[in-house]
Amino acid sequence: NPGDSQHFMQGVLGVTFLVVFVSTPFLGRRIAQDEDFRNKYIPKWYDFTMKKPENANTKERLHEQLVELQRELHERAIAGEFSPEKLEEMRRHFYGVDPKDDPHGWG
């Protein structure tokens, strides 16, 4: 029957598209993460990968910045910059905005 071969071909085509659709994320991940695979199977003219830049901040540098910030806040607290009155003033107004001369009313 000629209709049976047509249904068979449509089924094969449907299953092929389904398999390709499901395998695409796995293949993309492999291309993105496996440099040997990428060099072997992806042509150079199609390879748009970029080299990952070195991070300017190391863990040690970030730790030093955090310790410096804690020390600075500690010194400011000892100097009395965080009294209840000053904290209330900080909460009410944005830094650098004069509340009496703010056309937007955000100060």
Side-chain angles (χ1 to χ4, degrees):
N1 191 358
D4 290 339
S5 64
Q6 185 178 7
H7 288 134
F8 177 74
M9 288 302 294
Q10 287 177 348
V12 167
L13 189 63
V15 168
T16 303
F17 281 137
L18 180 67
V19 168
V20 169
F21 179 76
V22 169
S23 65
T24 300
F26 300 104
L27 182 62
R29 182 174 186 214
R30 178 94 186 261
I31 290 171
Q33 294 179 347
D34 189 354
E35 189 171 349
D36 294 333
F37 181 82
R38 186 171 51 242
N39 291 336
K40 187 174 181 182
Y41 294 109
I42 306 298
K44 291 293 180 198
W45 59 267
Y46 193 74
D47 187 9
F48 295 101
T49 56
M50 298 178 70
K51 300 297 179 200
K52 185 176 179 181
E54 290 294 321
N55 192 353
N57 286 323
T58 61
K59 288 183 180 181
E60 293 80 17
R61 176 71 181 128
L62 291 174
H63 177 71
E64 290 171 9
Q65 289 175 345
L66 182 62
V67 170
E68 178 67 25
L69 178 64
Q70 288 175 335
R71 188 186 59 74
E72 180 184 324
L73 288 175
H74 181 71
E75 289 174 359
R76 288 175 63 188
I78 290 173
E81 286 190 39
F82 301 120
S83 65
E85 299 83 22
K86 289 186 178 181
L87 285 175
E88 185 60 33
E89 183 69 23
M90 285 184 221
R91 288 187 186 108
R92 271 186 285 171
H93 305 296
F94 286 114
Y95 176 75
V97 177
D98 183 12
K100 296 175 186 67
D101 188 32
D102 184 13
H104 306 292
W106 292 359

